[in-house]
Amino acid sequence: MKVSIIASITVDGFIAQNVEQSSLRWTSKEDTKFFVEFTKKVGVLIMGSKTFETINRPLPDRKIIVLTRSKKYDQFSLDQVVAEGREIREVLEELKTSGQKEVAITGGTSIYTQFMKAKLVDELYLTVEPIVFGSGLKLFNESLDQKLELIEIIDLSRQTKVLHYKIIQ
Ligand SMILES: NC(=O)c1ccc[n+]([C@@H]2O[C@H](COP(=O)([O-])OP(=O)(O)OC[C@H]3O[C@@H](n4cnc5c(N)ncnc54)[C@H](OP(=O)(O)O)[C@@H]3O)[C@@H](O)[C@H]2O)c1
């Protein structure tokens, strides 16, 4: 099963100015379209509860697995949003066993960092937006030493590019 991180970053490597900030507040419409198309193709998204709080609704034609040790999402149907408190490896194993071919890791910082540290990621899609924050939440917030290979640069517009990397295992 292919595991891909998808994230939008500022030129200085931030994914948000603060934990409440939705990415829709600062990313381009081209990037939103890319995110929607990519995640619909993949079908299953894994995100942390704080990121889900910035969305707070199901996303059409996708299943969201929300990592949380404390919250429940009983108001949503199980094929739309599920709360998951198990180890991230177990969550991936179950998806693989169920026949899932791809999964998108959609943030935030704590989730991106845990998946990278555990070496569970195959590919990285980073949309670089022409903006700097100077401070805020980084893409990763723990020490890592991971080499990548740039596979392609996807031109979303003159201003916005997606850097598509493969993780060198
Ligand atoms: N620019 C982008 O592409 C992008 C993408 C995604 C998110 N973001 C931004 O990132 C920010 C949120 O990031 P964040 O790091 O603060 O929070 P987060 O990673 O979205 O969520 C953290 C929460 O996830 C749960 N969690 C984390 N690890 C877990 C594990 N192993 N097992 C079970 N539950 C686990 C905990 O939830 P409980 O406290 O409920 O137990 C934890 O408080 C927001 O501002 C959001 O907009 C940006």
Side-chain angles (χ1 to χ4, degrees), residues 1 6 29 45 57 60 84 115 139-140 155 158:
M1 185 176 66
I6 177 166
K29 61 179 189 319
L45 287 65
R57 62 178 176 86
E84 182 57 83
F115 276 81
L139 178 62
F140 303 114
D155 237 354
R158 210 172 124 76

Side-chain angles (χ1 to χ4, degrees), residues 7-30:
S8 313
I9 60 166
T10 65
V11 166
D12 51 347
F14 292 100
I15 64 161
Q17 285 174 302
N18 57 65
V19 70
E20 287 92 27
Q21 187 181 45
S22 159
S23 301
L24 292 174
R25 295 270 301 275
W26 62 275
T27 54
S28 59
K29 61 179 189 319
E30 291 87 355

Side-chain angles (χ1 to χ4, degrees), residues 2-9 31 34-35 38 41-42 102-106 112 121-128 139-140 148 150-154 161-167:
K2 190 163 112 184
V3 179
S4 301
I5 281 180
I6 177 166
S8 313
I9 60 166
D31 184 47
F34 177 74
F35 178 87
F38 182 87
K41 179 174 70 71
V42 170
E102 269 193 68
V103 60
I105 310 303
T106 59
Y112 291 143
V121 183
D122 300 301
E123 294 188 11
L124 203 59
Y125 291 83
L126 286 187
T127 302
V128 184
L139 178 62
F140 303 114
L148 312 172
L150 183 63
I151 301 175
E152 61 176 332
I153 298 174
I154 305 166
K161 317 287 171 196
V162 180
L163 305 180
H164 176 192
Y165 291 99
K166 189 172 141 192
I167 308 291

Side-chain angles (χ1 to χ4, degrees), residues 5-10 14-24 26-27 31 35 46-55 66-73 84-89 91 105-115 125-127 133 137-139 141:
I5 281 180
I6 177 166
S8 313
I9 60 166
T10 65
F14 292 100
I15 64 161
Q17 285 174 302
N18 57 65
V19 70
E20 287 92 27
Q21 187 181 45
S22 159
S23 301
L24 292 174
W26 62 275
T27 54
D31 184 47
F35 178 87
I46 297 180
M47 67 179 70
S49 69
K50 291 183 179 157
T51 294
F52 185 68
E53 276 162 30
T54 70
I55 303 171
V66 185
L67 295 180
T68 175
R69 299 183 185 92
S70 59
K71 309 217 171 55
K72 289 193 169 26
Y73 301 104
E84 182 57 83
R86 285 178 298 170
E87 284 288 307
I88 54 176
R89 271 178 206 282
V91 178
I105 310 303
T106 59
T109 302
S110 85
I111 302 304
Y112 291 143
T113 305
Q114 289 175 56
F115 276 81
Y125 291 83
L126 286 187
T127 302
F133 287 159
L137 281 86
K138 299 285 286 185
L139 178 62
N141 65 357

